[in-house]
Amino acid sequence: MIGNNMNEVSVIGLGAMGSTLAQVLLGNGYRVTVWNRTTAKAEPLVRDGAVLAQSAASAVGASPIVVVCVLDYKATNEILGTKEVASALAGRVLVQLTTGSPQEARDGEVWARERGADHLDGAILAAPSQMARPDTMILVSGAESAFRRSEPVLKVFGGNVKYLGEQVGSASAMDLATLSYVYGGMLGFIHGARIAETEGFGVDQYGSLVAEISPTFGEFFQHEGTVIQSGNYEVSESPLKISVEATERLAQAAREGGINSEIPTFASGFFKRAVAAGYENEEVAALIKVLRSSEESGKAA
Ligand code: FVH
């Protein structure tokens, strides 16, 4: 019989993130059952009151909410793919906080439902040290009933829980999409650091400038998202041709300054393709049409 006490949570996976999740649950008065492939990692948590399950199946059977946070879905499938686990799953909510793809989330939901359980897919947009903060963002998607049952636990992990709806792949999709934005910014940041270094400007000060402009640029990208969603590319904030000039200027300055110009040259090339396609007098978000047309023509890399 499943414990009706929603104060009982099991955590499977006690790596950097999993052990942090178990720790914050203990700190919030939950009865926490833990399991990890390498048992030794459970010791500090047991000292703090966690119960060590003798198997993954008994960890699943111990609580109505089962948080999984391991390296990848391959590890998840190795841990949960036994008949003992399958017979312990019925009626539980698997809260999958392992990084995965939208398709892995969809497959996980089918797998769980076949065994009478719910699969809520989540993505933690923070590092272990940032957990349990009011602004820590956790994206979740899947059956709303599963979300409602798990919401109090998720709120312990982070105050900014965003339920993205019943399409179970959404959390992983938005995890990947925000990661894409971060890595695009990372490339730009690193190139900017070279500019700072060659101009004898403190890269730490440059980093502070970046931090100060980030909220403003967050608003700008939010607007560009509404442009793409609406399909109306009339110039509203920034005509694409300004970015053509800006990225070419970056590449040119790099070449003249003797620093690596690969990143701005790559960016400039994309904007030049948008000009060639006739978008220069449209809003800069029209750049997405370069991606779409390359996919349609099968030229996507
Ligand atoms: N750490 C972070 O900053 C990020 C923040 C955003 C979310 N990620 C995702 O969280 C998942 C776990 O990440 P992690 O940082 O806890 O990872 P590790 O510290 O490397 O721990 C890995 C755990 O996975 C277990 N494991 C790995 N392979 C297997 C396997 N084949 N069978 C069973 N368990 C496996 C490992 O067990 P052990 O090595 O201790 O025995 C750890 O418990 C991850 O998806 C991040 O993308 C973290």
Side-chain angles (χ1 to χ4, degrees):
M1 181 58 187
I2 301 170
N4 287 323
N5 182 354
M6 295 309 276
N7 230 19
E8 295 169 340
V9 182
S10 293
V11 178
I12 292 178
L14 300 177
M17 183 54 82
S19 52
T20 302
L21 300 179
Q23 200 65 48
V24 295
L25 286 169
L26 287 169
N28 280 268
Y30 281 80
R31 182 182 183 281
V32 182
T33 300
V34 295
W35 182 87
N36 192 62
R37 175 180 61 178
T38 304
T39 308
K41 287 187 185 173
E43 283 165 16
L45 293 161
V46 170
R47 280 199 296 275
D48 287 347
V51 173
L52 175 60
Q54 294 312 303
S55 68
S58 55
V60 168
S63 313
I65 306 286
V66 180
V67 174
V68 180
C69 191
V70 291
L71 182 64
D72 54 21
Y73 265 77
K74 178 175 172 292
T76 297
N77 299 335
E78 284 181 22
I79 296 167
L80 301 183
T82 65
K83 59 182 187 320
E84 292 80 9
V85 167
S87 55
L89 267 171
R92 281 153 179 74
V93 180
L94 278 181
V95 180
Q96 178 58 283
L97 296 179
T98 301
T99 299
S101 70
Q103 189 54 49
E104 285 174 321
R106 287 187 280 269
D107 294 344
E109 182 178 60
V110 170
W111 181 87
R113 280 198 176 139
E114 286 169 350
R115 289 153 182 82
D118 277 311
H119 170 110
L120 194 70
D121 211 68
I124 301 170
L125 274 57
S129 63
Q130 298 169 313
M131 299 314 289
R133 286 186 191 169
D135 60 342
T136 294
M137 186 183 288
I138 298 174
L139 306 177
V140 284
S141 49
E144 183 165 1
S145 54
F147 169 64
R148 293 291 169 225
R149 282 177 69 189
S150 321
E151 191 174 10
V153 170
L154 292 163
K155 290 273 189 190
V156 167
F157 295 151
N160 188 5
V161 174
K162 292 199 178 300
Y163 175 59
L164 302 184
E166 297 223 324
Q167 285 195 99
V168 72
S170 296
S172 298
M174 286 305 98
D175 189 23
L176 288 170
T178 49
L179 215 52
S180 167
Y181 167 73
V182 166
Y183 280 108
M186 182 82 77
L187 289 177
F189 178 78
I190 295 301
H191 182 79
R194 284 297 297 131
I195 296 173
E197 285 179 333
T198 51
E199 290 295 327
F201 189 83
V203 179
D204 52 350
Q205 287 178 277
Y206 157 64
S208 302
L209 293 175
V210 168
E212 283 189 48
I213 64 170
S214 291
T216 306
F217 276 85
E219 279 176 38
F220 173 72
F221 286 119
Q222 194 172 17
H223 171 75
E224 297 306 316
T226 60
V227 166
I228 293 170
Q229 190 64 27
S230 72
N232 173 4
Y233 292 95
E234 276 178 52
V235 173
S236 47
E237 285 283 358
S238 176
L240 188 137
K241 66 181 166 207
I242 289 181
S243 294
V244 177
E245 302 302 323
T247 50
E248 181 43 40
R249 195 161 52 249
L250 274 168
Q252 183 65 25
R255 288 190 292 270
E256 286 165 0
I259 59 177
N260 180 301
S261 64
E262 287 176 87
I263 292 170
T265 301
F266 167 76
S268 169
F270 246 100
F271 283 100
K272 284 176 179 163
R273 283 163 62 184
V275 171
Y279 308 138
E280 66 178 319
N281 293 312
E282 295 189 7
E283 184 63 20
V284 65
L287 195 62
I288 194 169
K289 295 192 263 188
V290 172
L291 291 184
R292 288 176 186 154
S293 57
S294 62
E295 293 151 13
E296 284 147 20
S297 60
K299 288 192 194 126

